[in-house]
């Protein structure tokens, strides 16, 4: 089976690419390698998949073969480049597509709203068009727990209304869900959307709390604790996220089994066990052997006080069950953070 993964140098994308390649699938990963955060981390993730230019810059539209997996290669490409996307789909004839490429970051969307339109809206439209024009059997795309916005009902269920986003990022992800449903209905191809809850673990994004906390605690610098610490998150370890994503990838929605006969499904992927932010910090302090210097701050624009995933649909339909406890996950993350594998250590 030939699978395209967009956002392949990202946190989830690089892990998914490696695990699918290990299973013997033919994988092509694409990523524009932008500098939203330190590209050294993106290059290091790709290197874990055997993809490296050995000191040379990546060339746009050039295919780079993995030195580890003969069934895996990488192309520097942006999904908002319709011509290049169409050409790749026409050449490769993908069976399935996992779209993880997006401009990420809730807080970043407050100050840089226009950066979200090209990737999250135009880019996603290009993927939808290519899927329907070139016979892709199943599109899996990344949505986000942020679509639940101001919902006060807990835990968040896929049946809940998601009409009250609190950031442009969340609104763009809700837009993706609407666009995908329309294409699934119009062109009768299978689509699955994944509402990811807070993902953490080795190779995580440097703009997210685990990396920020680890760096600050290690260097005796204050960590910023928003809403005076009155936050909780459904922290989910990366291996559990990838496992859930693969289960969805291998399960194609059937029109006769879906609402209104549209082959479209939405799933929460989380741990279904929210953790208080202060408890998360305590686990990090314990793993690092140092107490954090804490700076308490008010709630940030675009944030919500709590996330909590109802994962019963994914558990019932596909047998998904997260396995990694917070204690084990933090220990694995800190072990990686302190290792030479982390290109941003220090």
């Amino acid at each position: 089976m030939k699978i395209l993964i967009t956002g392949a140098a990202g946190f989830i994308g690089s892990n998914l690419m490696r695990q699918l390649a290990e299973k013997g699938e033919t994988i092509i990963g694409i990523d524009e390698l932008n500098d939203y955060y330190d590209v050294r981390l993106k290059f290091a993730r790709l290197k874990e998949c055997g993809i490296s230019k050995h000191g040379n810059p990546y060339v746009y539209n050039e295919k780079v073969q993995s030195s580890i997996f003969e069934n895996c290669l990488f192309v520097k490409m942006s999904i908002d480049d319709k011509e290049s996307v169409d050409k790749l789909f026409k050449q490769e004839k993908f069976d399935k597509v996992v779209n993880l490429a997006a401009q990420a970051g809730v807080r970043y969307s407050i100050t840089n709203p226009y950066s979200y339109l090209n990737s999250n809206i135009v880019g996603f439209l290009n993927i939808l068009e290519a899927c329907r024009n070139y016979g892709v059997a199943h599109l899996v795309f990344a949505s986000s727990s942020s679509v639940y916005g101001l919902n006060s009902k807990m835990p968040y269920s896929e049946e809940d209304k998601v009409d009250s986003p609190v950031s442009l990022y969340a609104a763009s992800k809700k837009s993706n869900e609407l666009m995908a449903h329309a294409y699934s209905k119009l062109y009768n191809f299978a689509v699955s959307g994944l509402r990811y809850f807070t993902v953490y673990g080795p190779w995580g994004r440097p703009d997210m709390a685990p990396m920020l906390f680890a760096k600050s605690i290690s260097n005796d610098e204050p960590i910023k604790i928003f809403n005076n610490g009155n936050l909780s998150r459904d922290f989910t370890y990366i291996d559990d996220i990838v496992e859930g994503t693969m289960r969805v990838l291998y399960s194609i929605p059937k029109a006769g089994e879906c609402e209104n006969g549209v082959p479209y499904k939405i799933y929460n992927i989380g741990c279904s066990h929210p953790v208080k932010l202060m408890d998360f910090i305590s686990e990090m302090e314990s793993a690092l052997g140092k107490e954090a210097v804490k700076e308490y701050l008010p709630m940030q624009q675009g944030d919500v006080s709590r996330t909590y995933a109802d994962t019963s649909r994914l558990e019932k339909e596909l047998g998904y069950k997260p396995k990694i406890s917070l204690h084990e996950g933090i220990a694995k993350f800190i072990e990686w953070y302190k290792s030479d594998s982390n290109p941003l250590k220090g």
Side-chain angles (χ1 to χ4, degrees):
M1 182 164 59
K2 185 177 286 188
I3 302 169
L4 171 68
I5 300 174
T6 75
F11 182 23
I12 299 174
S14 58
N15 278 275
L16 180 65
M17 182 163 63
R18 187 180 68 253
Q19 292 196 36
L20 286 172
E22 288 173 349
K23 288 173 68 68
E25 306 291 6
T26 299
I27 305 298
I28 295 179
I30 67 172
D31 198 297
E32 69 175 351
L33 298 174
N34 68 30
D35 61 357
Y36 167 65
Y37 58 79
D38 198 321
V39 294
R40 289 180 298 165
L41 183 58
K42 299 180 181 182
F43 295 156
R45 290 172 181 151
L46 290 175
K47 192 173 181 180
E48 287 291 295
C49 299
I51 295 165
S52 174
K53 290 287 286 180
H54 303 291
N56 297 318
Y58 284 89
V59 177
Y60 196 80
N61 275 342
E62 179 183 82
K63 294 179 179 178
V64 181
Q65 175 64 51
S66 169
S67 61
I68 299 174
F69 306 108
E70 62 179 17
N71 53 326
C72 180
L73 58 83
F74 173 80
V75 185
K76 181 180 179 180
M77 182 184 294
S78 174
I79 63 170
D80 61 22
D81 178 354
K82 186 178 188 304
E83 183 179 350
S84 294
V85 168
D86 284 346
K87 184 178 179 180
L88 184 67
F89 272 74
K90 185 176 181 179
Q91 287 177 341
E92 299 297 339
K93 297 177 173 59
F94 298 110
D95 299 298
K96 298 187 179 184
V97 173
V98 184
N99 185 66
L100 301 173
Q103 175 58 60
V106 169
R107 291 173 189 148
Y108 189 74
S109 71
I110 303 297
T111 55
N112 299 272
Y114 285 96
S115 64
Y116 288 76
L117 296 181
N118 281 344
S119 180
N120 296 18
I121 304 298
V122 176
F124 188 59
L125 177 60
N126 291 340
I127 294 297
L128 288 169
E129 277 284 285
C131 285
R132 70 106 166 180
N133 285 327
Y134 297 103
V136 171
H138 188 195
L139 167 65
V140 177
F141 72 96
S143 184
S144 168
S145 62
S146 66
V147 300
Y148 290 107
L150 294 175
N151 282 18
S152 58
K153 171 184 163 293
M154 296 287 172
Y156 294 148
S157 166
E158 295 93 342
E159 304 298 329
D160 296 341
K161 286 187 176 181
V162 286
D163 298 328
S164 54
V166 295
S167 70
L168 184 62
Y169 172 72
S172 74
K173 288 299 185 180
K174 171 60 177 175
S175 298
N176 286 171
E177 294 184 4
L178 295 172
M179 293 162 69
H181 185 276
Y183 266 72
S184 182
K185 169 62 176 175
L186 287 169
Y187 306 112
N188 196 39
F189 71 87
V191 182
S192 299
L194 305 177
R195 291 175 179 168
Y196 290 119
F197 283 68
T198 310
V199 189
Y200 76 99
W203 304 101
R205 278 171 37 200
D207 61 320
M208 297 295 285
M211 285 280 275
L212 292 172
F213 289 168
K215 181 178 180 181
S216 294
I217 295 171
S218 297
N219 295 327
D220 298 313
E221 298 170 350
I223 62 173
K224 295 180 179 180
I225 302 175
F226 295 107
N227 203 36
N228 296 306
N230 296 315
L231 298 171
S232 62
R233 292 289 183 267
D234 204 320
F235 289 102
T236 314
Y237 191 70
I238 181 61
D239 289 1
D240 289 328
I241 289 288
V242 171
E243 170 65 21
T245 302
M246 289 197 297
R247 284 178 181 262
V248 171
L249 178 65
Y250 287 120
S251 179
I252 301 179
K254 296 178 177 61
E257 300 173 0
C258 299
E259 187 176 358
N260 297 319
V262 181
Y264 173 89
K265 287 284 187 77
I266 284 286
Y267 294 102
N268 288 336
I269 296 191
C271 193
S272 197
H273 184 70
V275 174
K276 293 179 179 178
L277 179 62
M278 300 310 295
D279 291 340
F280 186 86
I281 292 170
S282 293
E283 284 284 357
M284 294 202 70
E285 289 174 323
S286 177
L288 286 165
K290 298 182 73 174
E291 185 175 349
V293 179
K294 302 175 180 70
E295 179 183 359
Y296 292 94
L297 297 168
M299 191 71 151
Q300 293 290 286
Q301 275 190 307
D303 274 356
V304 295
S305 61
R306 189 183 186 201
T307 63
Y308 181 0
D310 177 352
T311 59
S312 58
R313 175 181 292 180
L314 197 54
E315 292 172 18
K316 180 181 178 181
E317 295 184 11
L318 302 180
Y320 168 82
K321 193 75 176 176
K323 300 175 182 176
I324 306 298
S325 68
L326 182 71
H327 180 75
E328 181 182 359
I330 291 293
K332 288 175 179 286
F333 167 67
I334 295 300
E335 180 182 11
W336 168 83
Y337 180 84
K338 295 164 67 175
S339 75
D340 292 335
S341 296
N342 177 11
L344 308 184
K345 184 176 67 171

